[in-house]
Amino acid sequence: MFSKYKYLFVAFLWTVLITILSLISLGNIEEKINIDIPNKDKYVHFTFYFGFVVLWFLQIKTKPVNKKTQIIILLSAISYGILMEICQGFTETRTPDIMDVLANSSGALVGILFISKIRK
């Protein structure tokens, strides 16, 4: 039975991970990881939402995937990224950032293109 829902489970866990990491303070971790890459957090945002799209596509892999489904997953990822940035405005340690929204959206868009290319 688990194998039937394994992709749903993984996609759901990834979404929960994005939520938690978007809303908690990462101050100590960021200080310990002293890698000098400009805008390194944008790569993380990109990767999170690339993974979001790919995992949710894997979840529906047995169903026919048409353009409408692709648009729904893309818009869901972008909307979720915007929601997480808005929610950061209500935390004490995080702040919303339009550049994070762009990184999230870029990751989601590249994820859609990646899945589309693989499925052809």
Side-chain angles (χ1 to χ4, degrees):
M1 180 170 152
F2 177 72
S3 63
K4 181 179 178 183
Y5 298 105
K6 68 182 175 185
Y7 292 115
L8 175 62
F9 181 72
V10 172
F12 179 77
L13 278 181
W14 187 259
T15 304
V16 170
L17 177 69
I18 289 172
T19 305
I20 291 169
L21 293 177
S22 293
L23 299 176
I24 65 170
S25 173
L26 299 173
N28 290 340
I29 295 171
E30 289 175 346
E31 291 171 9
K32 291 179 182 177
I33 302 173
N34 192 13
I35 301 172
D36 190 26
I37 299 173
N39 300 311
K40 63 185 168 213
D41 69 310
K42 304 309 179 239
Y43 296 108
V44 173
H45 285 271
F46 179 94
T47 303
F48 277 170
Y49 286 86
F50 177 87
F52 181 97
V53 166
V54 170
L55 290 171
W56 281 104
F57 261 107
L58 286 174
Q59 188 277 322
I60 60 168
K61 75 174 188 163
T62 57
K63 301 173 187 169
V65 178
N66 53 29
K67 289 289 183 192
K68 181 180 176 183
T69 305
Q70 291 178 354
I71 291 170
I72 289 170
I73 291 176
L74 176 63
L75 292 178
S76 296
I78 291 171
S79 298
Y80 195 71
I82 292 169
L83 176 64
M84 286 298 96
E85 289 303 313
I86 292 169
C87 288
Q88 286 180 3
F90 297 103
T91 67
E92 292 182 17
T93 57
R94 306 296 297 263
T95 56
D97 182 358
I98 190 68
M99 297 308 289
D100 288 349
V101 170
L102 291 174
N104 298 344
S105 300
S106 297
L109 184 60
V110 171
I112 288 285
L113 296 172
F114 176 75
I115 289 294
S116 297
K117 192 76 167 171
I118 285 178
R119 288 196 170 235
K120 287 185 178 180

